[in-house]
Amino acid sequence: MNDLIELYGANTGNSFRAAIALEEAGISYTPRKVDLWAHEQRDISYKALNPAGKVPTLVDHSETPALIINQSNAIIQYADAKVPGQLAPIWPGPETVRVFDRYFFFVTDVIAPSHAAFFLRQAGLDDAAAVMSERVIEQLIFAEGFLTEEFMAGDRFSMADISAFTIASSVRDRLDWRSHPRLADWFHAIEARPAVQRGLNAFQ
Ligand SMILES: N[C@@H](CCC(=O)N[C@@H](CS)C(=O)NCC(=O)O)C(=O)O
């Protein structure tokens, strides 16, 4: 554990994404559990770190002033910058471009509709929410075509696998895995990675 880097989070996909990125990059940090049911995310002290009252939040006290990051996908980028080579290739080039291309596909075309479905459901717009949720599943199935090698963006684990895995986890009970064996094999292989397991258990 490293008190200089704190990761505030809960058992949610966005928090897992950030924790898995730190674990896979080999960055030592201290997890700080935020109890969403007790509305700790709305405490004044927490909102001083994350004005939106959401998790995750990363605080890096080794920077002056302390570096505060509020977006899970920005925490992935932070981890990649801090320990280059673990979440994307070190050198610019076609392989790196492919990692970012696939990573952003999951961020914008899969994770964003999933968030939209959540907000539509909260607003009582169940039919619209169902359309968005269906879109999430469709896009994940589309992504099975990326698996020409072992991982989502080639033959090495990358940030594309993190963004894909966390969103696939959130729909694991609704996806027809048997009809998509390559996607299923990939999912189980990612889930079995020790760093992924540590990330999933960070906020127990
Ligand atoms: N875009 C943000 C979304 C963060 C987010 O929506 N967090 C949710 C949990 S998954 C949250 O904190 N919800 C608590 C609340 O809204 O009160 C990210 O990717 O980090």
Side-chain angles (χ1 to χ4, degrees):
M1 286 214 190
N2 170 359
D3 280 343
L4 286 178
I5 300 176
E6 298 174 299
L7 181 65
Y8 292 81
N11 288 322
T12 73
N14 292 315
S15 301
F16 292 148
R17 196 172 301 126
I20 291 170
L22 296 179
E23 295 285 354
E24 286 283 356
I27 297 171
S28 177
Y29 66 101
T30 300
R32 305 260 184 236
K33 185 173 176 172
V34 178
D35 187 342
L36 299 182
W37 293 106
H39 302 302
E40 284 179 358
Q41 73 276 27
R42 299 193 198 143
D43 285 354
I44 291 173
S45 57
Y46 184 72
K47 282 181 110 176
L49 299 174
N50 187 326
K54 307 258 184 217
V55 288
T57 297
L58 181 137
V59 186
D60 182 346
H61 298 278
S62 69
E63 303 286 342
T64 310
L67 176 64
I68 300 174
I69 313 177
N70 288 154
Q71 290 294 323
S72 58
N73 293 295
I75 294 170
I76 294 180
Q77 304 274 302
Y78 160 90
D80 178 47
K82 206 158 175 75
V83 185
Q86 301 305 305
L87 305 182
I90 292 182
W91 305 110
E95 287 175 12
T96 309
V97 171
R98 183 172 57 176
V99 164
F100 282 99
D101 188 36
R102 305 252 163 109
Y103 164 72
F104 278 111
F105 166 79
F106 290 108
V107 172
T108 63
D109 290 29
V110 197
I111 295 172
S114 168
H115 284 189
F118 176 80
F119 292 123
L120 288 166
R121 212 169 297 116
Q122 269 193 330
L125 300 169
D126 289 348
D127 289 350
V131 171
M132 275 296 161
S133 294
E134 210 38 59
R135 174 88 185 154
V136 172
I137 306 265
E138 274 170 21
Q139 293 297 284
L140 278 170
I141 290 169
F142 170 78
E144 189 174 33
F146 296 160
L147 294 168
T148 51
E149 293 172 89
E150 198 179 338
F151 296 102
M152 278 296 170
D155 62 0
R156 290 190 53 193
F157 178 88
S158 75
M159 60 177 75
D161 295 289
I162 300 177
S163 54
F165 173 76
T166 49
I167 193 67
S169 294
S170 73
V171 296
R172 69 185 300 161
D173 297 337
R174 289 188 288 126
L175 215 152
D176 176 13
W177 294 101
R178 267 185 299 182
S179 303
H180 302 287
R182 263 182 306 151
L183 199 58
D185 287 351
W186 162 84
F187 184 82
H188 291 125
I190 301 296
E191 188 174 45
R193 292 171 70 86
V196 169
Q197 281 301 316
R198 287 195 299 276
L200 292 174
N201 287 300
F203 303 106
Q204 293 304 329

